[in-house]
Amino acid sequence: MAEKKRERRDPEQRRAEILAAAFACFAERGFAATRMEDVAARAGIAKGTVYLHFPDKERLFIELVSGVASPILGEVGGMVQKETIPARTAVSMFYALFKREVLETERRHLLRLILAEGPMFPVVTEFYYREIITKGVAIVRVLLARAAARGELRNPAVVDVPQLVMAPALMSIIWTTLFEGYEHLDTQKLFDTFLDTLFVPEGGAI
Amino acid sequence: MAEKKRERRDPEQRRAEILAAAFACFAERGFAATRMEDVAARAGIAKGTVYLHFPDKERLFIELVSGVASPILGEVGGMVQKETIPARTAVSMFYALFKREVLETERRHLLRLILAEGPMFPVVTEFYYREIITKGVAIVRVLLARAAARGELRNPAVVDVPQLVMAPALMSIIWTTLFEGYEHLDTQKLFDTFLDTLFVPEGGAI
Amino acid sequence: MAEKKRERRDPEQRRAEILAAAFACFAERGFAATRMEDVAARAGIAKGTVYLHFPDKERLFIELVSGVASPILGEVGGMVQKETIPARTAVSMFYALFKREVLETERRHLLRLILAEGPMFPVVTEFYYREIITKGVAIVRVLLARAAARGELRNPAVVDVPQLVMAPALMSIIWTTLFEGYEHLDTQKLFDTFLDTLFVPEGGAI
Amino acid sequence: MAEKKRERRDPEQRRAEILAAAFACFAERGFAATRMEDVAARAGIAKGTVYLHFPDKERLFIELVSGVASPILGEVGGMVQKETIPARTAVSMFYALFKREVLETERRHLLRLILAEGPMFPVVTEFYYREIITKGVAIVRVLLARAAARGELRNPAVVDVPQLVMAPALMSIIWTTLFEGYEHLDTQKLFDTFLDTLFVPEGGAI
DNA sequence: AATGAATGAGGATTCATTCAT
DNA sequence: GATGAATGAATCCTCATTCAT
């Protein structure tokens, strides 16, 4: 039997541990199927301890889901700043960032969580729309507008549906989450192919 | 006092009613948060009656999720047959079918369900991969190969990642499911713009 | 082991059984210390069954406490009707009724319950004031006024504090509840002595 | 940041503070519904500190309830000494003392506590019977016997049920506790009226 | 076949108590 | 001594499932 150590710890750190454990659990089984005891066990603490940091399961979930995405946002924001780089490079960097920070991380389960629990947690959906989507779409729109102005787009109409740029990222997440076990999807190729489709070749056609 | 109606009914029809009710419930709240009583109530029958048709909640879910997608598949399959029509038209027809049969139907919640409950029901995921994805990808691949051969694609490399063609459809579902309440997405434009990006203009100028 | 029989039963009867069991439990240990399982066990049913009849513990308690007193009230009311009988006889009959229907019944624990849980259940207190106390006081006041008019009272001022008439009844309950085990209180004598103190002797000598 | 005050304090005083806080809490919500943390908070100390002074919740309760009543007892005892004063005066003084020291104090909740928790804490009930009731009844009996001998009582039989004298006090507490918010009871009048009923008028009729 | 009352395992939450700091 | 984070037993309540009618 492992010793129960009553390990006291810095509250901020403990909180973070719980959030990490909770994220793993929720991502694995969804909100309803996750037991608070699972979360506690995963965090290596007792059931009751979770409640010292979060008032109830719902709040734990909400704070969790709200907190996971925020950090990435900053980096993305910086991307639009540099006007000099070609739009394709910028979008490419975005995909790379997405791969590194989401797709190849536990965060890849985030979409599933939000999608799955959205109807039960409108607050979360609203948060994501307001904090992430809105900003993301805005950034992409600027990027595309700039690209269109420079003649970098094969089809300038894309500017009006910036969501299209996100579509391959969505696909990558969903495929990875659901079907990677059955058939591998080369996400890099997915992104690159889409970029090649979206933007005129660098060399500049005749 | 209202009479207790013990409406006896054709088993097959009853079964279908239960499945419909179950789909509505599961789509709305997910597997765990749906109570068998909800399903029964929605089907207008008593709790116990559900168990006369399905052995338990899990089986109800699995049979349900497996049954919803199948009907569409046939139509899609027919599409690849007609070699004469241009690939763009075929893909366009696919998007139209998708819109009509999925996006604008209750079936649009299917993705959410599969994504959400996937980890808990590998059988379902496996079923979808085997029955739907595999076939869908194969069809698209044929379509794209044919298009590439005819020079209809701006970027022939797309043939290697047929999933790209599905990406806008995914985006449309997810946006509709999550954010339509906050901001409208013109899915037709999304699809058309993507088509315009994917395929060379019809006029096929130099 | 007694067989678990899944005994189905008339809802009204079941409800009554639960209320009886609940009353016994609450009276014995108070609201907080009573477990719903205790109530169920005492009623000879399963935990969950209680919840088919009462939405939660609080409601069970409230409905219970509200329902216990009502039946007695009717009888008391009838008492004031007969103008012909002497007030002393009427009050004496009231004490007798009180003894028979409250003091020597499980209902004797009611005061304890109300007093104990009053602050936690203002609804209950309000109910008792409105439904029982108000009416009781009114009846006694009429009785005393009549008695005063007829010169039956040693001290007519009693009319202004009808609560005084209830005081011996309270004492009897409290003594019985708390100290009867240590020392017997002859409640009949308590009542009779009070009556002899309150009313002038019948013979009404000079 | 406010400094953590580790106010060390005279143990006896600390103990008293805890008892006071505990009394307030228990009186307000009863034993079960009072959390040790409430008590600690009310005493302005940390949860753990309570346990430095009392081994557990039960003991805290018992010591508390046992300690509250004792002080009054002395005064009451003195009352019987003075043989010279009329019994009515003595009883009147007792009511006055009761009003001042119990009814108009937080101690008025004591009865509720004892009554409510009696069945769970026989020790407490026994203590009250032994230490308070026995002595109180004895005193009243002596007073009444003396009064009877002097012809001060309208009904000498009262000597045999000295509890009758306590009844108005009980009524005053219970009414005050439960119904004062709905309807005021003039306790002074209640006591005075009872005294007028119990004792022959001072002037001494022919 | 259909019903819905009954069951009881399961999970969220609370809180008395302990103990490392 | 004092603190309050940590623990886990205890309890409310839900809901999948059963079964007598």
Side-chain angles (χ1 to χ4, degrees), chain A residues 6 8 14 46-49 53:
Chain A
R6 227 171 229 272
R8 197 177 277 219
R14 189 39 64 86
K47 246 180 314 173
T49 306
H53 299 267

Side-chain angles (χ1 to χ4, degrees), chain B residues 79-98:
Chain B
M79 207 164 281
V80 79
Q81 311 296 40
K82 311 168 188 163
E83 295 201 17
T84 53
I85 61 172
R88 182 188 162 124
T89 307
V91 175
S92 179
M93 282 170 59
F94 165 76
Y95 285 153
L97 179 69
F98 178 81

Side-chain angles (χ1 to χ4, degrees), chain C residues 69-86:
Chain C
S70 303
I72 329 176
L73 211 64
E75 291 201 52
V76 182
M79 204 163 282
V80 78
Q81 311 297 40
K82 310 169 189 163
E83 296 200 16
T84 53
I85 60 172

Side-chain angles (χ1 to χ4, degrees), chain A residues 28 32 112 115-116 119 125-126 129 133 154-155 163 166 171 174-175 178-179 182-183 185 193 196-197, chain B residues 28 32 112 115-116 119 125-126 129 133 154-155 163 166 171 174-175 178-179 182-183 185 193 196-197:
Chain A
E28 230 168 59
R112 241 193 56 227
L115 200 57
T125 307
E126 205 259 335
Y129 175 68
I133 303 306
R154 282 185 164 169
N155 174 17
Q163 289 91 347
M166 292 305 302
M171 171 53 86
I174 289 172
W175 190 279
L178 288 179
F179 308 126
Y182 305 112
E183 181 185 344
L185 170 65
T193 305
D196 288 340
T197 309
Chain B
E28 233 168 57
R112 237 192 60 223
L115 200 58
T125 307
E126 204 258 335
Y129 176 68
I133 303 304
R154 282 184 164 169
N155 174 18
Q163 290 90 347
M166 292 306 303
M171 171 54 86
I174 289 171
W175 188 281
L178 289 179
F179 309 125
Y182 305 112
E183 181 185 343
L185 172 64
T193 304
D196 289 341
T197 308

Side-chain angles (χ1 to χ4, degrees), chain A residues 153-204:
Chain A
L153 292 177
R154 282 185 164 169
N155 174 17
V158 173
V159 177
D160 293 333
V161 277
Q163 289 91 347
L164 194 55
V165 174
M166 292 305 302
L170 276 188
M171 171 53 86
S172 72
I173 283 194
I174 289 172
W175 190 279
T176 302
T177 306
L178 288 179
F179 308 126
E180 190 64 21
Y182 305 112
E183 181 185 344
H184 174 66
L185 170 65
D186 184 337
T187 55
Q188 190 57 55
K189 193 169 196 173
L190 182 75
F191 293 147
D192 287 343
T193 305
F194 182 67
L195 287 171
D196 288 340
T197 309
L198 195 62
F199 292 100
V200 296
E202 298 237 8

Side-chain angles (χ1 to χ4, degrees), chain C residues 6 8 14 46-49 53:
Chain C
R6 230 173 225 269
R8 198 176 277 220
R14 187 40 61 87
K47 245 181 316 172
T49 305
H53 298 267

